[in-house]
Amino acid sequence: MVLAIADEFVVDDKRFRLYADDGWLLFREHPDCAECVGTISKTALGFLVTAWALPGPLIFEETLEEAVDRLVAIDGSHGR
């Protein structure tokens, strides 16, 4: 599997990188590694957000940007 970098950004001194393939994977970058925050899939109902730190109810967002924001918010409440 080859993933393309779709976006890179910093929120509250945390560096994130969004990768794209058939869907999207959001990683929080660390100096020596990267930690997957979750995945985003395009569905008929919108963008399905799957947060690895918060398994549970299905979360749908209308746009990719909102889905990424949701994962970043979940990471902020469960991150190191």
Side-chain angles (χ1 to χ4, degrees), residues 17 24 28 36 43 47:
R17 188 172 285 170
W24 296 267
R28 181 160 35 108
C36 189
T43 72
F47 291 87

Side-chain angles (χ1 to χ4, degrees), residues 40-71:
I40 301 169
S41 303
K42 177 74 172 130
T43 72
L45 298 174
F47 291 87
L48 173 62
V49 177
T50 305
W52 291 17
L54 186 64
L58 297 178
I59 301 168
F60 288 95
E61 295 292 349
E62 290 185 22
T63 67
L64 178 59
E65 183 177 344
E66 291 171 337
V68 170
D69 289 347
R70 177 66 67 106
L71 279 177

